Amino acid sequence: MLSPDEHAGSGVPRRRWLRPVVMLGLAGLAGLTGSVAVTGFVAGVAPGAVAGASASMSSTYSAPACNRPTPAPVRATPVAGVPSDWTITSFDGTKIRAHWFPAPGASANHPEPTILEGPGWGEAGATTSTPDILGSLSVTGLNSDGYNVLTWDPRGFGQSAGTIEIDSPNYEARDVSRLIDWVSTRPGVQLDAPGDPRMGMVGGSYGGGIQFVTAAQDCRIDAIVPEIAWHSLTTSLDKANTSKSGWSNLLYSLASPAHRDPHMMSAYQDSLATGTISAADYRWFAGKGPANLVKKIRAPTLIIQGTVDNLFTLDEGVTNFKAIQASGVPVHMVWFCDGHGICLTNPGDPNYVTNATVAWLNRWVKRDPSINTGPAVDIIDQNGVRYAASTYPLPSARSLSAQGKGTLQLVATGGSGPVTVRSTNSDPVGALASSITPAKAVNAVNVTIDGGSQASLVVGAPHVTLTYQGTVPAGVAPTRVFAQIVDGSTGLVLGNQVTPIDVTLDGKSHTTSVPLEIVSQAVAPGQHVMLQLVATTVAYAQPRLGGSVTFSAINVTLPVVSDLKPQQAPH
């Protein structure tokens, strides 16, 4: 009898989605994670293997012709003593370390398609013995499924030279295009045209961002599966012009001082001193990663985003999804209880993301029209129940709402987080992530939201409108409060999400209306959730303190989706 980690029929090991290792390279911090065992994955996903799957309406899509000129010869030098490794000279002379793993049996007479897998921030490219801790797919698993695999150390990380430019379209994306040029010359590589290999891309976080920017500029990429990536660093790391210090501090520590761009250093120093960054640094970060480039993508895209990811939140994935969908390109979006954060609720099927990823690659890279890629929008609630929809935002016929008022003391103590993780939690980075994870606050203005007499599925961005006035001593830090929704049954913050709100504390009355971070929460009849307005949180830089703010009117609304039924498990 096969174990749960094996695929019946093939005997090929399946790699489970490793809960503790979707953390932007955090395994490199002080050896916190220890060793991680990695196997392969499902050698093929049959039609209907994804729960609740339905045939893709875009199954006949053909990308526009790729008329990219035949690339110039690539300077590549094998690394002595490491058969898989090559040093590739990029467009600007920067030396990039690549790791090449051809599929078994691939040859000129039997060429195979290729997958590029980018690593997370601070990591070197995966090998057969050193896996990418962020990806749901292993090198050996991809090889077993008939794919050549190329991984690499991004510039400034691992054995690659250069300055870290954070998945810049002008640097890291052009590095990848040069790697693709080299792949097209390798024996056993399936080509669609000279210099144009049949290929897809996978990878998480930093390895997800590079997919967006490269696919927007290089038409040779046939499909991408960006996992827990971002749309803009200005909305993910600096929402409401407030530094997300919890994550920023960790990310900064993982970049070698010798390879940091000066903007990274000045933004970090300003964030520590004031909780904000300069306009020049803001503009620099705005140019790193996907942003407006997403609308140029023509490769079929599967976006995987985490419901408890409080670095690159669901809104980042939704924004990318909408941009690609508007272009008429096949795009699906899968949510899962994971990402840059801790899943403290039921994660559901641990193989779901892997199965969906493999199905997407086999459909769009191998071009197998019999593959069922599942619903266009595939979400999960805190109970591990999945729901399917055809688009986002989801239809909403009603809402849950409440009103309240109260005074918040602007003090450092009693704020949101850190969360307490059970001693039985086996997540090896749980202690690290928990230190920057929101939790129910003691010092808060609370507004209870009654779930009513019928079951509700809340999916989307709660909305708050605040009428307030307050004062605070002069200082350099910004004036902010933070909003979060707490589950009345468990005491957990929905999705570990907290949202900064810019407030003007000059003693006069003001009104502001803002959306909060997207959440996915089933509310049973008779249950309730609670809005908390808090003064501080472990997730963001500390704002200016010392005064108080009185909310004379608080209105909160939670969107309830309609006509969305749970997916049936495959049988």
Side-chain angles (χ1 to χ4, degrees), residues 244-261:
K244 192 174 284 183
S245 57
W247 281 109
S248 297
N249 294 345
L250 292 173
L251 300 180
Y252 186 78
S253 69
L254 290 168
S256 166
H259 296 282
R260 294 172 185 153
D261 186 283

Side-chain angles (χ1 to χ4, degrees), residues 60-338:
T60 59
Y61 173 80
S62 295
C66 185
N67 298 316
R68 190 180 178 95
T70 301
V74 180
R75 284 193 292 164
T77 305
V79 175
V82 188
S84 62
D85 283 16
W86 292 74
T87 298
I88 310 295
T89 301
S90 194
F91 70 97
D92 60 353
T94 299
K95 305 298 183 183
I96 303 297
R97 178 63 61 88
H99 316 280
W100 175 243
F101 304 96
S107 66
N109 294 327
H110 187 71
E112 299 284 13
T114 301
I115 300 298
L116 270 62
E117 182 169 25
W121 177 266
E123 292 188 289
T127 68
T128 53
S129 59
T130 58
D132 169 25
I133 66 171
L134 289 168
S136 60
L137 309 180
S138 69
V139 170
T140 53
L142 285 163
N143 279 167
S144 298
D145 205 33
Y147 291 102
N148 304 308
V149 180
L150 180 77
T151 69
W152 72 99
D153 303 359
R155 64 169 57 209
F157 294 121
Q159 298 300 310
S160 289
T163 299
I164 302 164
E165 297 296 336
I166 315 183
D167 283 349
S168 163
N170 295 324
Y171 291 93
E172 284 88 351
R174 293 176 69 184
D175 292 340
V176 175
S177 287
R178 204 63 180 133
L179 293 174
I180 297 172
D181 293 344
W182 180 78
V183 166
S184 72
T185 68
R186 305 306 300 158
V189 170
Q190 183 179 359
L191 299 177
D192 290 328
D196 182 1
R198 176 77 61 81
M199 61 159 295
M201 293 185 73
V202 299
S205 197
Y206 200 58
I210 192 60
Q211 296 178 57
F212 284 122
V213 294
T214 307
Q217 299 183 162
D218 197 321
C219 58
R220 295 174 294 179
I221 298 169
D222 296 289
I224 60 175
V225 187
E227 304 168 10
I228 54 174
W230 69 97
H231 176 75
S232 172
L233 293 178
T234 61
T235 53
S236 58
L237 284 177
D238 198 45
K239 186 176 288 290
N241 296 315
T242 312
S243 175
K244 192 174 284 183
S245 57
W247 281 109
S248 297
N249 294 345
L250 292 173
L251 300 180
Y252 186 78
S253 69
L254 290 168
S256 166
H259 296 282
R260 294 172 185 153
D261 186 283
H263 284 283
M264 293 173 61
M265 294 185 279
S266 60
Y268 176 71
Q269 292 162 358
D270 287 347
S271 175
L272 289 179
T274 68
T276 60
I277 63 175
S278 70
D281 288 337
Y282 185 92
R283 289 191 297 271
W284 185 82
F285 278 102
K288 308 303 176 182
N292 290 332
L293 287 173
V294 174
K295 62 186 178 183
K296 298 182 179 181
I297 292 172
R298 295 297 176 264
T301 303
L302 172 62
I303 294 170
I304 298 171
Q305 215 72 25
T307 58
V308 295
D309 193 321
N310 51 23
L311 172 59
F312 300 145
T313 62
L314 288 172
D315 186 63
E316 299 294 314
V318 165
T319 302
N320 288 330
F321 174 84
K322 289 179 179 178
I324 298 174
Q325 188 180 58
S327 300
V329 176
V331 57
H332 285 194
M333 178 170 62
V334 172
W335 293 359
F336 71 131
C337 187
D338 216 311

Side-chain angles (χ1 to χ4, degrees), residues 368-391:
D368 182 351
S370 71
I371 295 296
N372 192 328
T373 54
V377 176
D378 186 330
I379 69 173
I380 190 171
D381 67 17
Q382 83 279 14
N383 300 315
V385 178
R386 305 205 71 90
Y387 304 82
S390 60
T391 190

